[in-house]
Amino acid sequence: TAVFSLTAEPPQIAIAVNRSASAYPMLVPAGCFCVNTLGAGHEDLASRFAGPIKGEERFEEGKWGQLATGAPALEGALVALDCVTVQAVEFSTHTLFVGKVETIRHGVPSKPLLFVDGQWASLLPATPAQVEHADGFMRRSISAIDEAVSTQPSPVDALDSFVRAFTKLNIAERRATRE
């Protein structure tokens, strides 16, 4: 359910796993786990693990190997953190597994795979000019809100004024983006 860094010295991470998850019965006796960070292009594999496929069938896609602990490590992962479980603590429906990082394998650098608003996504690189452009658009949008609120007598008129101003901003922004 979740992965996060815990300590730098010694290097430890934690994973929160729902006790009803199909992987849970294997994690407890294994005494180890590997966190595989996925990149853009791994959407099918991520969906496979997040979806209805359970057990060893999940590992039929991708190239899997092992590092120091013997836990499954994805060959194409951006980073694989191979851990020995040092503590398991139960909280409500989940168990928090604390793992001491034994081995780190770095893959080919690429954009990380993210899950945002119910869909797979990735970070896009931006130049300073692109960031400045986006910041300018955001500032103009906020100014349109401020203008509408301060000059219109009713909330309906303010909303109408903002929608009109924002539409003009969007038309101009799309034109600039295309150019």
Side-chain angles (χ1 to χ4, degrees), residues 30-110:
C32 62
F33 59 89
C34 185
V35 173
N36 297 281
T37 304
L38 303 181
H42 284 135
E43 292 87 350
D44 289 344
L45 184 61
S47 293
R48 183 179 193 85
F49 274 78
I53 297 173
K54 304 293 181 204
E56 291 191 26
E57 189 179 345
R58 290 177 166 177
F59 297 92
E60 291 176 2
E61 185 175 313
K63 186 174 179 185
W64 296 89
Q66 298 175 348
L67 299 175
T69 70
L74 179 64
E75 295 290 330
L78 298 181
V79 175
L81 301 172
D82 191 31
C83 303
V84 171
T85 304
V86 295
Q87 191 172 3
V89 183
E90 292 186 6
F91 293 97
S92 184
T93 59
H94 287 64
T95 297
L96 184 68
F97 292 92
V98 176
K100 181 177 176 285
V101 179
E102 294 292 321
T103 306
I104 299 173
R105 181 177 63 204
H106 297 276
V108 176
S110 71

Side-chain angles (χ1 to χ4, degrees), residues 93-175:
T93 59
H94 287 64
T95 297
L96 184 68
F97 292 92
V98 176
K100 181 177 176 285
V101 179
E102 294 292 321
T103 306
I104 299 173
R105 181 177 63 204
H106 297 276
V108 176
S110 71
K111 297 173 191 150
L113 180 62
L114 307 173
F115 193 72
V116 179
D117 293 331
Q119 60 186 348
W120 300 113
S122 185
L123 297 175
L124 298 175
T127 65
Q130 290 168 322
V131 171
E132 187 176 320
H133 180 80
D135 184 59
F137 178 73
M138 188 63 74
R139 289 178 190 278
R140 290 188 300 278
S141 299
I142 291 169
S143 291
I145 293 170
D146 292 341
E147 175 73 18
V149 170
S150 67
T151 62
Q152 299 303 317
S154 75
V156 172
D157 291 338
L159 180 59
D160 181 65
S161 176
F162 167 69
V163 168
R164 290 176 191 279
F166 190 70
T167 300
K168 288 178 184 176
L169 283 171
N170 261 323
I171 290 169
E173 180 68 18
R174 289 192 180 176
R175 189 175 301 120

